């Protein structure tokens, strides 16, 4: 049998985690293509960005953060609803969990299914899955923008929704004083995009335009290394856009010509593989990405809910 192992189920090697101090009181933990997390110090409190997949995974991050600061976590900010970004929330003991309105809606509507789907797709990220107490519920949500005053002379942290993109409820966290952005999965730096719950057309155009308009000089994407310098940030946003427009072009052509999903997958894979094929999670993502884009081009407005069963069906149809 030459069948490809399902999604990332055979990916079991731990990634090296790197904690970087991006500015005074601004931290990022990157992990060679595994989900990134961050933290921002207020005058007498912390804002943490992203929660990882389980409380056990989150505690390992917090232990490293505690080498730098012992301030209590007041806010835990979730960039979007995906399980590997939210289910570790209980470890933070945050006073307030903050997310976009769309994230609360998605957790209500499909949080359970997404948990089961992601656990089966990426078991390595779920360290001690039994430590997850349940779904993570935001305490505060917003539609457009929410500003957190960091106190003292630390300036403010702006949370902004830039439109539909990686999901319908993404936010970015922006530190104007340092020109640092935490972009969640709206931008990846030398890591493949996951677009299985995405809105490709707005993401590739207006949403990324709004992300770029901040003019970040340091950017922490959802996965991959920290991007430093205006040019490198623009390149990371450009790479994200190129991935999306290539998919739109190749899948769109097959769709318009009355071809099949399998043909669309082959066309998109062939076009993207030379540039992105060796980046983390490329093979993992492609069947789910093309399947969602096919639906989008067919007029299905909101992504169909991924379940463990549907994941297998799509994988077997396209990657086997
Ligand atoms: Zn995501």
């Amino acid at each position: 049998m030459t069948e490809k192992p399902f999604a990332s189920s055979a990916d079991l090697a731990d990634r090296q985690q790197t904690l970087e101090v991006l500015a005074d009181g601004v931290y990022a933990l990157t992990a060679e293509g595994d989900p990134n997390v961050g933290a921002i110090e207020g005058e007498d409190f912390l804002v943490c960005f992203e929660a990882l997949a389980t409380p056990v995974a989150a505690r390992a991050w917090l232990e490293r953060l505690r080498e730098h600061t012992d301030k209590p976590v007041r806010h835990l900010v979730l960039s979007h609803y995906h399980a590997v970004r939210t289910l570790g929330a209980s470890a933070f003991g945050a006073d307030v969990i903050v997310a976009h309105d769309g994230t609360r809606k998605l957790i209500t509507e499909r949080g359970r299914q997404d948990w089961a789907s992601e656990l089966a797709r990426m078991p390595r990220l779920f360290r001690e899955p039994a430590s997850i107490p349940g779904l993570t519920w935001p305490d505060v949500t917003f539609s457009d923008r929410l500003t957190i005053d960091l106190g003292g002379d630390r300036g403010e942290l702006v949370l902004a929704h830039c439109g539909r993109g990686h999901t319908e409820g993404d936010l970015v966290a922006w530190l104007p004083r340092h020109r640092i952005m935490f972009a969640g999965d709206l931008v990846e730096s030398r890591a493949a995009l996951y677009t299985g719950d995405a809105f490709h057309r707005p993401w590739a155009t207006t949403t990324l335009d709004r992300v770029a308009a901040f003019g970040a000089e340091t950017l922490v994407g959802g996965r991959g290394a920290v991007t430093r310098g205006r040019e490198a940030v623009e390149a990371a946003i450009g790479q994200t856009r190129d991935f999306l427009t290539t998919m739109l072009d190749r899948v769109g052509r097959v769709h318009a010509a009355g071809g099949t999903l399998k043909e669309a997958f082959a066309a998109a894979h062939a076009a993207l593989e030379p540039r992105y094929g060796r980046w983390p999670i490329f093979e993992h993502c492609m069947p789910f990405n093309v399947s969602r884009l096919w639906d989008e081009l067919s007029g299905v407005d909101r992504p169909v809910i991924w379940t463990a069963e549907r994941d297998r069906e799509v994988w077997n149809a396209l990657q086997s």
Side-chain angles (χ1 to χ4, degrees), residues 79-82 84-85 118 166-167 170 185 188 194:
S79 72
H80 62 287
Y81 83 102
H82 282 148
V84 298
R85 311 254 167 204
E118 295 200 49
H166 173 71
T167 70
D170 304 287
D185 277 331
E188 308 294 359
Y194 175 68

Side-chain angles (χ1 to χ4, degrees), residues 212-229:
F214 283 93
E217 290 170 6
T218 304
L219 184 140
V220 183
R223 294 168 178 266
V226 175
T227 303
R228 286 188 170 81

